[in-house]
Amino acid sequence: TQSTWGRSIPLMEVNEKVLAALVQATAAAAGGVLSTVLLAPLDVAKTRIQSGESQLGTNDGKVLDRLLDIWKEEGFLSLFKGLEVKVFESIVKNFCYFYWYQLLKSSVEVKGKSLGTATSLLIGMLAGALNMTTGLPLDTISTRIQVSKEKAGFCSVLQEVLKESGFLGLYKGYVPSLILTTNPAIQNTSFDKLKLWWQLYLRHTSGISKIGPLTPVQSFVLGAISKAIATLITYPYIRAKVLMQIAKGEPLSGPSGSTSTVATVMASVMKQEGISGLYKGLNAQLLKTVLASAIMYMAKEQIATYSTKALLRIFRTRKN
């Protein structure tokens, strides 16, 4: 019996890790859908500003003005362009990212000790790379839909991209996206560290040895701070990725026939708009992504907490 029990322990541990990863991934996907739906108009305005579009209005960097311009010129529903694709993209990206992140994290974590910052960043980047390869085609299509002035659907945009650039056209902006795996890595590492520091602070000031899960407000604030840190560090690559994704087949800069790269796109932006051009749309990006991450983390932490409690009750009932 002892021998059988001894052999079953690793399997149980693996199942627990996979289950924990599935709970975190499902909770993140649900939280991501909520934030995507609530902030869809902000996302459309942000993408329009980042694309360099200047036909509507004169206040290209002001989110409210851009929202009003789009509503006035294209109708209210244009503020929700590409929402179906964005929701699907959010489910895929959040589920895959947090599944891999939690699974990799639990695989290298030593019980009772938190991961070091460098290890957390590496795990986050690896999870981001796996996730980005899956989700980038959806991101490319949804970006095209959002900047289009005409009614565009998933299938029509997919056909347009394939006709212009072939299958690899769906992976436009792959290099900046790969570099941008540092964004969720920084975000999640920052969130985990801020969460740990906050719980240590509460433990120290209250004298209570066991601190409960974060409240919705605490999750919202820590999620907002962590995303702001990640966005400020990586924003020039975010804009370069958007510009590469909306390019209609032709290179954005360089000699005729050359291929656009992150370096050429950023150099072109600096030449035409100055260094500040690399940060065009930063305010819109911060407003949208910080709010989105705050809402997502708030929902994720609550869903994960209650889901874990429910699963534990089920396991205890079965055991008894």
Side-chain angles (χ1 to χ4, degrees), residues 258-275:
S258 66
T259 304
S260 298
T261 64
V262 182
T264 58
V265 171
M266 293 175 74
S268 177
V269 170
M270 285 191 289
K271 182 179 179 181
Q272 294 174 24
E273 305 174 32
I275 293 178

Side-chain angles (χ1 to χ4, degrees), residues 24-36:
Q24 291 292 324
T26 304
V33 169
L34 177 63
S35 66
T36 299

Side-chain angles (χ1 to χ4, degrees), residues 28-38 83 86-88 90-91 94 296:
V33 169
L34 177 63
S35 66
T36 299
V37 173
L38 290 177
L83 180 59
K86 275 292 180 183
V87 167
F88 183 55
S90 176
I91 292 171
N94 280 305
M296 188 273 289

Side-chain angles (χ1 to χ4, degrees), residues 42 45-46 49-50 60-64 231-232 235 276 278-291:
L42 273 179
K46 167 193 71 72
I49 293 170
Q50 289 172 335
D60 292 338
K62 295 184 179 179
V63 181
L64 181 58
T231 301
L232 288 169
Y235 188 74
S276 62
L278 295 174
Y279 292 89
K280 187 173 185 178
L282 175 61
N283 291 339
Q285 179 79 17
L286 281 171
L287 181 60
K288 188 269 169 180
T289 57
V290 167
L291 282 175

Side-chain angles (χ1 to χ4, degrees), residues 50-52 238-247 252 265 269:
Q50 289 172 335
S51 71
I238 293 173
R239 180 149 196 242
K241 184 192 78 166
V242 170
L243 291 173
M244 292 177 79
Q245 287 177 323
I246 65 171
L252 291 170
V265 171
V269 170

Side-chain angles (χ1 to χ4, degrees), residues 18-180:
V18 171
L19 186 61
L22 285 171
V23 167
Q24 291 292 324
T26 304
V33 169
L34 177 63
S35 66
T36 299
V37 173
L38 290 177
L39 301 174
L42 273 179
D43 193 38
V44 172
K46 167 193 71 72
T47 304
R48 293 286 186 93
I49 293 170
Q50 289 172 335
S51 71
E53 174 203 88
S54 59
Q55 288 85 349
L56 296 177
T58 56
N59 299 303
D60 292 338
K62 295 184 179 179
V63 181
L64 181 58
D65 289 327
R66 181 48 55 91
L67 285 169
L68 293 173
D69 281 339
I70 294 170
W71 188 351
K72 181 181 176 182
E73 298 291 330
E74 301 174 42
F76 177 73
L77 291 180
S78 292
L79 295 173
F80 295 87
K81 270 189 173 180
L83 180 59
E84 302 92 337
V85 183
K86 275 292 180 183
V87 167
F88 183 55
E89 178 192 345
S90 176
I91 292 171
V92 171
K93 289 174 79 171
N94 280 305
F95 184 91
C96 291
Y97 180 83
F98 280 95
Y99 177 79
W100 287 114
Y101 181 77
Q102 183 64 33
L103 195 61
L104 291 168
K105 181 182 170 185
S106 61
S107 298
V108 300
E109 219 167 19
V110 178
K111 194 171 183 179
K113 291 184 179 180
S114 60
L115 291 178
T117 302
T119 306
S120 293
L121 284 171
L122 285 172
I123 289 173
M125 289 174 69
L126 181 56
L130 291 167
N131 174 52
M132 183 272 296
T133 303
T134 305
L136 187 59
L138 290 171
D139 189 31
T140 299
I141 292 170
S142 64
T143 300
R144 283 283 193 101
I145 292 173
Q146 287 181 330
V147 299
S148 172
K149 301 289 178 53
E150 300 171 358
K151 189 175 180 180
F154 178 87
C155 292
S156 61
V157 173
L158 175 61
Q159 289 175 350
E160 182 183 69
V161 173
L162 292 175
K163 185 178 179 181
E164 288 172 2
S165 313
F167 179 74
L168 291 180
L170 295 171
Y171 284 89
K172 275 189 174 182
Y174 184 85
V175 173
S177 293
L178 196 59
I179 296 169
L180 283 171

Side-chain angles (χ1 to χ4, degrees), residues 171-218:
Y171 284 89
K172 275 189 174 182
Y174 184 85
V175 173
S177 293
L178 196 59
I179 296 169
L180 283 171
T181 57
T182 55
N183 185 291
I186 294 167
Q187 174 186 343
N188 281 290
T189 299
S190 299
F191 183 84
D192 287 344
K193 293 298 179 185
L194 288 169
K195 179 179 176 180
L196 177 63
W197 292 339
W198 177 250
Q199 290 176 329
L200 287 173
Y201 170 76
L202 290 178
R203 194 177 301 164
H204 177 73
T205 54
S206 65
I208 301 173
S209 58
K210 190 175 180 181
I211 302 296
L214 295 175
T215 66
V217 173
Q218 290 167 352

